[in-house]
Amino acid sequence: MLAWTTLSLALSFRLVLAQIREEHGPPVSSPQGDLLFLLDSSASVSHYEFSRVREFLGHLVAPLPLDPGALQASLVHVGSQPYTEFRFDQHSSSAMVQDAIRAATQRMGDTNTGLALSYAKEQLFDTATGARVGVPKVLVWVTDGSSSDPVGPPMQELKDLGVTVFIISTGHGNFLELSEAASAPPEKHLHFVDVDDLHIIAQELRGSILDAMQPQQQLRATEVTSSGFRLAWPPLLTANSGYYVLELTTSAKPGVMHRQQLPGNTTGWAWTGLEPDTDYDVALVPESNERLLGPQHLQVRTLPGEVGPRPRTEGWGLREEAGPERIVISHCKPRSLRVSWAPTLGPAAALGYHVLYGPLQGGAAQRVEVPAGHNSTLLQGLAPSTDYLVTVTAAFRSGRERSLSAKACTSPGGERSRAPLPPKAGARGP
């Protein structure tokens, strides 16, 4: 009797578990994905800087769950030609990956980062290198800020394929350009850090990487602007199992539908050239002969834009829309400093400026708006004895922006107090 009761309870327990799985779906998955490190190994990096970055990467991966069933890592060098130090399927534990990173040697040569990014895209989606289908893809690019070839187009291709991009700059790069290259928001995906202080960002960066490795369950929109937005979705198909159809409509233009067909291994797409302050309906339709997958729907509203049409700019030219030519840092105090620049004049004068500033050793960037006609601003709330990267951007009616960056440093805190003056002759003491 007792045996039958025990068996009955066990069966009931299994039925309850099955019902819970059916109602609530599978449990939350552990981090899983392919992590590619893109390391500047060119002659523009000193041997000391390379060794410090190599040490940082080893420290970064130490606690990660590197395993063929969880996270896989690969390392690619930036040089005259990209070079793979180790593939995704080459090392099956964090200890093995750490040993491989320590054994990496500098390749030297030119800094052809754009070429290396195109190569990295192939590695991230090539099963011959051990890359896996249907898992999140993360790129961590460590750079000294210089490149011999364009970075923007190949980086955009990576992000369009759903790759999450983290950038660590050792302080020589243009903040605005690197902000555009990193995944949004830049305060989470871009770090300016001195090479001797890389350990400061290790824990935060490691947590962000693990967050990016969590599988997403639905269609979502990011990087929303007045003229477009970026879409991302989980890997529902593979290159051989089907394709996606993206459909875009808006109530402002009934009966007009935009369609885009994408390969089955795509997990992202950017819509551009849209109207500001407008609601758009998006449908993601997976087409597959292997299994039935329902469409996913999303509504996105673009941000407000300029009031009225933009004026014609023929004849003005890029030369007249020149950004700040010189930045002057003055009045440096422990917690403040003044930034000044040569203003833009003439028919293509700037509509205004914005100043981005943040510590070189990592941390969130701050933004200050400066109206047209002014060419300086006081930055306050700073930390003593700290290096900051300051970027001044001029905005024009054409929609273009021109930027210039400079390094600034606050003075040390704890100013000495003046020594008391000796009492005047004949004066009485307290």
Side-chain angles (χ1 to χ4, degrees):
M1 183 68 180
L2 180 60
W4 280 106
T5 303
T6 303
L7 178 61
S8 177
L9 288 173
L11 291 174
S12 299
F13 183 66
R14 289 186 178 182
L15 288 173
V16 170
L17 285 178
Q19 184 177 2
I20 291 174
R21 292 192 187 100
E22 184 177 350
E23 292 177 354
H24 299 282
V28 178
S29 301
S30 59
Q32 186 181 33
D34 294 334
L35 171 63
L36 191 146
F37 293 106
L38 190 64
L39 177 60
D40 190 346
S41 187
S42 66
S44 67
V45 179
S46 70
H47 292 296
Y48 173 76
E49 290 176 325
F50 183 83
S51 65
R52 295 294 286 168
V53 171
R54 187 175 54 191
E55 179 184 341
F56 162 71
L57 293 182
H59 176 63
L60 180 69
V61 303
L64 291 178
L66 293 170
D67 180 88
L71 304 188
Q72 294 187 149
S74 175
L75 176 63
V76 170
H77 292 267
V78 176
S80 297
Q81 293 292 328
Y83 175 81
T84 299
E85 183 70 33
F86 54 87
R87 304 184 311 272
F88 289 111
D89 59 354
Q90 195 164 339
H91 302 298
S92 58
S93 69
S94 60
M96 295 175 68
V97 171
Q98 289 179 73
D99 290 340
I101 291 174
R102 293 191 193 100
T105 58
Q106 192 169 358
R107 308 297 299 181
M108 307 300 287
D110 293 333
T111 315
N112 292 326
T113 309
L115 183 64
L117 286 169
S118 298
Y119 180 80
K121 182 183 72 172
E122 298 174 2
Q123 302 295 295
L124 277 166
F125 297 96
D126 186 1
T127 55
T129 67
R132 293 167 293 177
V133 176
V135 300
K137 310 289 184 178
V138 172
L139 174 72
V140 177
W141 173 31
V142 186
T143 175
D144 68 348
S146 62
S147 179
S148 303
D149 58 351
V151 170
M155 186 67 85
Q156 192 62 57
E157 292 180 7
L158 280 167
K159 292 194 290 186
D160 286 343
L161 289 172
V163 178
T164 302
V165 178
F166 294 91
I167 301 177
I168 298 96
S169 173
T170 53
H172 306 295
N174 183 291
F175 182 86
L176 191 64
E177 292 177 357
L178 292 179
S179 295
E180 294 176 352
S183 293
E187 57 267 21
K188 182 179 179 181
H189 298 88
L190 173 61
H191 299 272
F192 276 84
V193 190
D194 187 84
V195 72
D196 288 319
D197 297 315
L198 284 166
H199 63 278
I200 295 175
I201 66 167
Q203 183 175 353
E204 178 185 352
L205 178 60
R206 191 184 300 119
S208 298
I209 291 173
L210 291 174
D211 288 343
M213 294 296 188
Q214 293 289 348
Q216 300 292 333
Q217 301 301 321
Q218 60 185 4
L219 177 68
R220 63 196 186 280
T222 62
E223 302 182 33
V224 180
T225 67
S226 60
S227 60
F229 47 82
R230 184 178 302 281
L231 297 168
W233 56 88
L236 306 173
L237 304 172
T238 65
N240 298 322
S241 66
Y243 61 91
Y244 297 101
V245 176
L246 269 178
E247 299 176 347
L248 183 74
T249 59
T250 175
S251 57
K253 296 180 179 180
V256 177
M257 176 182 289
H258 299 279
R259 285 188 176 90
Q260 181 69 40
Q261 183 172 318
L262 300 170
N265 61 348
T266 308
T267 56
W269 178 258
W271 283 109
T272 59
L274 306 182
E275 297 294 328
D277 203 20
T278 302
D279 287 323
Y280 286 91
D281 293 311
V282 181
L284 175 70
V285 184
E287 299 285 356
S288 174
N289 293 326
E290 296 182 359
R291 55 187 179 130
L292 180 62
L293 294 168
Q296 298 188 27
H297 297 272
L298 182 69
Q299 186 176 79
V300 187
R301 186 175 186 86
T302 52
L303 300 180
E306 296 179 354
V307 179
R310 291 178 175 173
R312 296 174 63 88
T313 59
E314 288 81 358
W316 285 9
L318 294 177
R319 185 176 180 181
E320 295 185 14
E321 290 184 345
E325 296 182 358
R326 185 178 71 256
I327 293 179
V328 177
I329 307 296
S330 61
H331 300 84
C332 296
K333 297 181 179 181
R335 298 196 175 275
S336 66
L337 56 85
R338 179 166 290 279
V339 181
S340 305
W341 58 91
T344 58
L345 304 173
L351 293 175
Y353 305 88
H354 57 258
V355 179
L356 287 172
Y357 62 98
L360 286 175
Q361 295 183 358
Q366 305 293 322
R367 176 169 171 152
V368 175
E369 300 292 338
V370 180
H374 295 73
N375 67 320
S376 70
T377 185
L378 183 67
L379 306 183
Q380 304 183 72
L382 309 180
S385 299
T386 302
D387 291 327
Y388 285 85
L389 182 71
V390 179
T391 301
V392 179
T393 301
F396 300 93
R397 290 186 182 277
S398 65
R400 301 186 183 96
E401 293 184 341
R402 298 289 179 263
S403 302
L404 185 66
S405 299
K407 181 179 176 181
C409 183
T410 52
S411 61
E415 296 180 355
R416 295 179 180 178
S417 59
R418 293 183 177 179
L421 296 174
K424 293 182 180 179
R428 301 179 63 180

